[in-house]
Amino acid sequence: PASMIGVTVDVTTYQLAEEELRRQAALLDQAYDAMFAWEWNGPITYWNKGAELMYGYTADEAVGRLSHELLRTTHGGGLPRLLQRLKEHGVAEIEAEHMTKDGRRLVVESRQQVVVDAGRRYVLEANRDITERRRREERAGRLQELAAALAGALDPETIGVTVIEHVVPALGANLGNVFIRSDDGQELVSLAATGHAPEQRGRWQRVPVDDRTMVGEVACYGVPIIIETWSERLARYPHH
């Protein structure tokens, strides 16, 4: 006689779990911050829309890659120290530097939390871009240093040197000059300078205000001039 054995498996629980995971992933995709998950000391397994926008990598490009290699992460102690902190505390909050797909360096406020699912450890990472905030803080700090230095400057020459020492490095410039207008108002007299080639130093000691130079125009009209490229500068001031 023929016989048959039937097995019935209730998959409702698994379906509900999958639906919950999809719902949670959809919520994470709505988050403003960059959020992604990676296996313990392993590759990225999830990458939200915020991460795509911040870093420029799509989910297809990021999933399966090691996050520290993909983003060229740098922070105090490196990955071994981070994993140790996560092992001990289950959560870590750090400040790190990441690189985007197009090569920009970002300073991020990063929070990692260990999540255990089906016996496997993952790290859920949430990052917020604070690059501009750090830049503002650095500029404010430099201005405070400059103000303190200027408070101790007693003569124009000392003021000129102080401005050169603090402002040129803050701007990332390789050349700078501080002028004062002469008593008759016809010339700009250099108080301090840096970056000029030896053969050019004498040229910039005294500059006629009506000479067609950038500093002359600023002195005449009192309006800052911003030139972004060297070719633009040569076109506007071909002899200076």
Side-chain angles (χ1 to χ4, degrees):
S3 63
M4 181 178 67
I5 299 175
V7 178
T8 302
V9 178
D10 184 359
V11 298
T12 305
T13 302
Y14 298 104
Q15 290 176 337
L16 290 175
E18 289 179 356
E19 289 176 4
E20 178 63 17
L21 287 174
R22 285 194 293 268
R23 187 186 71 82
Q24 291 176 2
L27 288 174
L28 292 178
D29 268 341
Q30 302 302 314
Y32 174 78
D33 294 338
M35 302 183 72
F36 55 93
W38 40 280
E39 290 188 48
W40 185 262
N41 206 18
I44 296 168
T45 59
Y46 170 75
W47 187 262
N48 82 335
K49 296 294 184 184
E52 290 186 354
L53 291 173
M54 183 181 294
Y55 298 114
Y57 294 101
T58 65
D60 288 340
E61 292 173 314
V63 171
R65 300 281 302 276
L66 296 175
S67 65
H68 277 61
E69 292 181 0
L70 178 70
L71 303 176
R72 302 183 190 179
T73 305
T74 58
H75 55 80
L79 182 59
R81 184 176 177 184
L82 173 62
L83 291 175
Q84 184 61 35
R85 289 174 63 182
L86 289 170
K87 185 177 180 180
E88 292 175 358
H89 307 290
V91 65
E93 294 182 0
I94 63 171
E95 187 172 297
E97 285 192 9
H98 287 161
M99 183 173 285
T100 64
K101 186 177 180 180
D102 61 7
R104 291 176 296 112
R105 295 297 299 182
L106 301 180
V107 180
V108 300
E109 202 171 58
S110 182
R111 187 178 193 277
Q112 290 100 2
Q113 182 168 346
V114 177
V115 178
V116 179
D117 180 50
R120 301 178 68 177
R121 281 190 298 178
Y122 298 85
V123 177
L124 179 62
E125 182 169 333
N127 297 326
R128 177 167 296 179
D129 182 3
I130 60 169
T131 308
E132 187 55 37
R133 189 174 86 193
R134 282 288 173 264
R135 286 175 181 162
R136 288 195 300 267
E137 292 172 351
E138 289 175 5
R139 286 195 293 265
R142 288 173 180 147
L143 286 173
Q144 288 177 348
E145 291 176 1
L146 176 59
L150 288 174
L154 302 177
D155 54 76
E157 287 74 17
T158 305
I159 291 173
V161 171
T162 300
V163 171
I164 287 292
E165 289 178 347
H166 288 79
V167 175
V168 172
L171 294 176
N174 55 18
L175 186 148
N177 213 327
V178 177
F179 292 95
I180 188 172
R181 204 157 186 163
S182 62
D183 292 339
D184 61 9
Q186 300 303 305
E187 289 184 314
L188 297 174
V189 181
S190 176
L191 295 178
T194 186
H196 290 289
E199 64 273 14
Q200 292 291 326
R201 290 173 187 166
R203 166 69 182 84
W204 295 102
Q205 288 298 311
R206 304 183 76 90
V207 181
V209 172
D210 58 1
D211 200 3
R212 192 171 183 272
T213 61
M214 188 186 307
V215 292
E217 285 192 24
V218 172
C220 285
Y221 304 111
V223 178
I225 297 174
I226 299 175
I227 296 178
E228 297 184 353
T229 65
W230 187 249
S231 59
E232 183 184 351
R233 184 195 185 286
L234 290 177
R236 187 166 178 175
Y237 306 102
H239 303 298
H240 301 285

